Amino acid sequence: MNAYEKVGLARASDRPMGNWYIHQMIDDFTELHGDRRYSDDGAIVGGIGFLNGRPVTCITMNRGDSIEDRIKRNFGCPSPEGYRKALRLMKQAEKFGRPILCFVGSPGAYCGIGAEERGQGQAIAENLWEMCALKTPIISVVVGEGGSGGALALSVADRILMFENAVYSVISPEGCASILYKDSAKAPEAAEALRLTANDLCRMKVADAIIPETYKTPEEIARVLKKRIVTELAQLNKVSVPRLLASRYEKFRNIGAM
C-alpha cells in the first residue's frame, strides 16, 4: 500500500476517531466545555475519566458522525477556542496530577476569517509552548489524519503513538502538490515525498510506536491501544518531573537530526 492510499484510509468516513476510542477505554468520561474566553468548540472534545481506575484527562479532535453533526463540529477543524479549551483542560490536569491523553485526527485547524480574527495562530503557539513545560505525562495518539499545526497543537507529548493507517504531516498531499508542483493531481507523488506514514515517522523518530490495525476489529484495536497506553504511563510515572521535561525537550530537539 502506497502513502496516498494510506491517506485515503486515514480519511475514511467510517473510520473510528478519538471520541470513539475514549468511550471504549475510559470509564465514567465526563465532557467539559468552553475556553472561558469566547465559546465552546465542538471540533475539540475534552474531559476527565478513569483509565484502569486512575483519573486521566482526555482531549480529542471530533469530526462528527452524521452530516449535521459534522457541520456542527466544522468537520473536525478546530477554531482558536477549541485549542484554548484544550489548554485549559491540560493546565487543570497538571494542577491535579492527572496524565493527559490526546487523540489526533483532523485535516488541520480551521482557516476561516473568524478564526484568524480570534487568534488562531496564537492559540496554536500557546499550546505548543505550554505543553513543552506541563509537569504531567502526556501521550498523544494519531488515530486518523494528523494535519499541520492544528494536529501538532495536541502532539507535544512524551510519547506519540500512531495507528498503522494513520498519517501525520505538515500539510496535506493536495496542498503540497499545489504549492510545489503547481498541480494538485500530483498529490500521490507529494504523499510519498512528505514521508507521512506511521512507518516513515517511526523511522525518523517523530512517532514512538505503531498500533497495528491489520485484520483487527475496532474493538480489538481499542484493547491493544489501551494496553499500550497503560504500559507507557507506567513507565512515565517512574520518571521524575525534571527528567520528564528534559526528555520531552530532547525528543523534539532531536527530530530531524539524522
Side-chain angles (χ1 to χ4, degrees), residues 40-224:
D40 190 40
D41 179 12
I44 295 281
V45 172
I48 56 177
F50 294 89
L51 178 67
N52 281 7
R54 179 178 182 180
V56 293
T57 290
C58 299
I59 302 166
T60 182
M61 295 160 170
N62 189 352
R63 67 184 179 188
D65 297 316
S66 67
I67 186 62
E68 294 81 8
D69 194 31
R70 292 189 179 193
I71 292 172
K72 174 184 173 182
R73 298 184 187 280
N74 204 29
F75 296 87
C77 296
S79 295
E81 46 272 20
Y83 293 115
R84 292 181 180 127
K85 173 172 66 174
L87 181 57
R88 179 176 74 83
L89 298 181
M90 287 189 277
K91 297 290 283 185
Q92 182 192 79
E94 179 187 45
K95 178 180 179 180
F96 292 103
R98 294 192 296 262
I100 299 167
L101 306 180
C102 295
F103 297 84
V104 176
S106 170
Y110 181 54
C111 55
I113 293 175
E116 296 300 328
E117 289 174 340
R118 298 193 301 276
Q120 183 71 288
Q122 182 181 7
I124 292 172
E126 285 178 353
N127 278 31
L128 306 183
W129 175 265
E130 295 284 357
M131 289 181 78
C132 287
L134 287 174
K135 298 180 179 67
T136 192
I138 308 171
I139 295 177
S140 288
V141 185
V142 184
V143 297
E145 181 181 19
S148 194
L152 186 60
L154 295 185
S155 304
V156 181
D158 302 296
R159 298 286 188 273
I160 297 178
L161 312 179
M162 281 190 70
F163 279 21
E164 182 180 6
N165 295 319
V167 296
Y168 186 41
S169 176
V170 297
I171 192 172
S172 70
E174 295 82 2
C176 178
S178 295
I179 293 170
L180 294 186
Y181 307 134
K182 312 302 181 187
D183 183 2
S184 61
K186 292 188 176 182
E189 182 179 344
E192 295 292 343
L194 285 167
R195 300 290 186 266
L196 44 65
T197 69
N199 286 331
D200 288 328
L201 293 165
C202 275
R203 189 162 50 247
M204 294 187 291
K205 298 183 178 180
V206 175
D208 298 293
I210 298 173
I211 305 300
E213 297 183 64
T214 309
Y215 307 121
K216 294 182 182 293
T217 66
E219 290 77 13
E220 290 174 317
I221 296 170
R223 287 193 289 270
V224 171

